[in-house]
Amino acid sequence: MRSAGQVVAVALDAVFDALEPGITTAELDDIARRTIRAEGAKPAFLGLYGFPAVACISINAEIVHGIPGERIVSDGDLVSVDCGAIVDGFYSDHARTAVAGDNADDERLRLVDICRESLLQGIEQCVPHNRVGDISNAVEQFVRDAGFELVREYVGHGVGRELHEAPPVPNVGNAGTGPLLMEGMTIAIEPMIMSGSWETKVLDDGWTVVTADGSLSAHFEHTVAITADGPEVLTSARNG
């Protein structure tokens, strides 16, 4: 799983290095595909539940599961990329959000920063004998204190021999509740936050989840191992 995590981190490094106004989401998806293959791994998302691409690429009000295509990225777009890799039958899952180009207003930059930091707040709770609710509550409280909302219908999850395993890891919840965290567990924590209402809807393509009120959204995700020495982020980039 460390190997799978490193592969997807390298793939997202390559994708975000190439992110600029004028590129299409299909071109970004192709970069992820080529990088994962070059690392000797398999894409985790391609064909899963019928998904037609290697990466989910979502823009602005799109939260998750955006399908790459001929859509052109514009200056100032919020671009979220969610991707996974398989190495020797083990999965990784990783997502990042960034603003394309130089036209980044304060609201977009702050949304990205809060979402990224909320993930780190959740990771800090990943120690043996804590509970999933401790992760959920840490994420929720940080985001709410910043004045943003969180997605309810879509959650983090266990990950290992399958991309989606037990337990579910919500982004809202009460501390001290939920499944016990034990040494050796591997989970994906993925805050999905928005600048408006928490309500969502799915577009006619059957995949793309958007904010119901058209507000902006950001998404970050790491695959994390619970160890005796604390959380180990398996999808951390090679340069840290």
Side-chain angles (χ1 to χ4, degrees):
M1 287 191 68
R2 288 189 183 99
S3 297
Q6 289 294 287
V7 169
V8 75
V10 169
L12 287 198
D13 280 348
V15 168
F16 282 97
D17 283 347
L19 178 64
E20 60 181 13
I23 197 168
T24 68
T25 54
E27 289 172 318
L28 294 174
D29 184 69
D30 187 57
I31 291 168
R33 180 194 308 263
R34 288 187 281 109
T35 305
I36 290 170
R37 296 292 190 191
E39 292 283 330
K42 298 178 181 179
F45 291 8
L46 184 62
L48 185 71
Y49 312 128
F51 190 73
V54 167
C56 300
I57 303 180
S58 309
I59 297 178
N60 294 329
E62 297 168 359
I63 306 166
V64 285
H65 305 159
I67 300 174
E70 297 310 307
R71 182 175 182 179
I72 296 174
V73 175
S74 298
D75 194 24
D77 275 346
L78 267 174
V79 181
S80 300
V81 182
D82 188 1
C83 193
I86 309 169
V87 174
D88 294 334
F90 287 92
Y91 284 72
S92 62
D93 200 356
H94 183 31
R96 305 179 196 170
T97 301
V99 180
D102 302 318
N103 188 26
D105 59 41
D106 290 343
E107 179 188 21
R108 292 167 189 255
L109 291 175
R110 186 165 179 267
L111 188 68
V112 170
D113 287 344
I114 294 300
C115 191
R116 182 194 299 110
E117 180 60 31
S118 72
L119 172 57
L120 301 180
Q121 295 289 320
I123 290 171
E124 287 183 1
Q125 299 299 317
C126 292
V127 295
H129 310 303
N130 267 4
R131 293 186 177 272
V132 167
D134 295 313
I135 300 171
S136 306
N137 187 256
V139 172
E140 179 182 7
Q141 292 306 312
F142 187 82
V143 172
R144 290 199 185 286
D145 287 348
F148 294 124
E149 262 293 354
L150 304 100
V151 171
R152 314 291 174 83
E153 300 98 328
Y154 305 92
V155 299
H157 49 87
V159 56
R161 293 185 182 275
E162 302 291 340
L163 183 67
H164 297 124
E165 298 181 346
V169 184
N171 293 309
V172 297
N174 296 319
T177 65
L180 194 65
L181 301 178
M182 301 295 290
E183 185 177 350
M185 289 176 68
T186 47
I187 59 174
I189 305 170
E190 51 179 320
M192 294 158 271
I193 75 173
M194 54 271 283
S195 59
S197 167
W198 62 268
E199 295 177 301
T200 69
K201 62 182 181 181
V202 179
L203 298 185
D204 290 342
D205 62 17
W207 282 102
T208 308
V209 180
V210 301
T211 58
D213 61 2
S215 61
L216 296 171
S217 179
H219 178 205
F220 279 86
E221 177 180 21
H222 271 312
T223 298
V224 182
I226 314 298
T227 81
D229 298 322
E232 179 182 346
V233 179
L234 302 179
T235 44
S236 178
R238 285 174 179 164
N239 62 8

